Amino acid sequence: MALLAEYGCKATPGRRVVEIYDADAYLSDDDAMAAARTQVVAGNGYHLYIQSLQPDIDVEVAILLWDSPPSPPADAEGSVPVSIESKTAILVVNQLEYGPAGEMPLPRSGVYTGHAWWENRQVTGDYYQTTLDHPTDDTFEDHLTQAWTPPSDRTLRPGPRLQPCFGTQRRRRAVDLDAEGSGAS
């Protein structure tokens, strides 16, 4: 199992969603976005929607491309199988409210399959909700500082992390393209 490519960036999950899509796939998919609300990660083939438990704390998105995707780590909070097709060989990590957070060049166009897994999602969501439930009584300026400073008796792990891992195995139709780009029989 060899790591072929790796990309990472931080993204703000505006409306509690981060999106990964092919650079040429501009149209969103409301059904896939709705499915991500219950599955955490869902897609339509050209888009992956990642549902966060909070809209303000940056999440770490790490995309790893393996010759064969490894199993998710045992301590991952969850994982789902994913597939994404890239006609441009460029994946975009998008923040719905703020625009693109970054781009990952792929070795070639085609369909990439694997799985996405996440960690620290629940603890970050709980921490976010706690700060909303217990506002401070100080001035507005102090309010923001105090609300986002963790209590001294509790150590928070780094922010949430999502990691889509893809293998290079592609669907037969995507592998068997001739020079004109039409599928071979």
Side-chain angles (χ1 to χ4, degrees):
M1 211 179 312
L3 180 63
L4 303 175
E6 179 177 13
Y7 175 77
C9 69
K10 298 245 185 218
T12 303
R15 291 190 277 158
R16 299 180 184 231
V17 175
V18 172
E19 176 184 22
I20 299 174
Y21 59 88
D22 177 65
D24 197 30
Y26 298 107
L27 298 176
S28 62
D29 184 324
D30 292 337
D31 292 336
M33 191 179 297
R37 289 186 196 110
T38 58
Q39 297 170 209
V40 181
V41 180
N44 65 359
Y46 294 97
H47 288 83
L48 290 176
Y49 296 96
I50 303 146
Q51 183 72 34
S52 175
L53 294 176
Q54 53 75 35
D56 296 317
I57 302 171
D58 282 353
V59 297
E60 179 182 343
V61 179
I63 302 172
L64 302 173
L65 181 62
W66 300 84
D67 58 353
S68 175
S71 298
D75 61 344
E77 287 179 34
S79 68
V80 294
V82 292
S83 174
I84 193 163
E85 182 171 356
S86 178
K87 292 184 177 185
T88 64
I90 298 172
L91 292 181
V92 176
V93 177
N94 190 45
Q95 309 164 105
L96 292 184
E97 298 288 325
Y98 308 106
E103 293 182 346
M104 177 188 186
L106 298 171
R108 63 183 175 270
S109 61
V111 177
Y112 293 84
T113 60
H115 53 265
W117 58 269
W118 53 92
E119 59 186 12
N120 299 331
R121 181 176 182 267
Q122 188 63 54
V123 72
T124 303
D126 292 347
Y127 176 68
Y128 179 80
Q129 192 59 46
T130 299
T131 62
L132 295 178
D133 292 343
H134 298 33
T136 62
D137 294 330
D138 295 333
T139 64
F140 180 74
E141 293 82 19
D142 291 339
H143 170 77
L144 291 176
T145 302
Q146 290 178 10
W148 290 103
T149 303
S152 59
D153 63 336
R154 186 170 114 209
T155 303
L156 282 180
R157 297 174 71 185
R161 176 181 171 99
L162 170 88
Q163 187 160 340
C165 297
F166 298 104
T168 59
Q169 296 176 335
R170 301 183 296 167
R171 293 184 188 148
R172 179 171 164 62
R173 192 82 165 149
V175 172
D176 296 333
L177 294 179
D178 61 22
E180 286 80 44
S182 61
S185 307

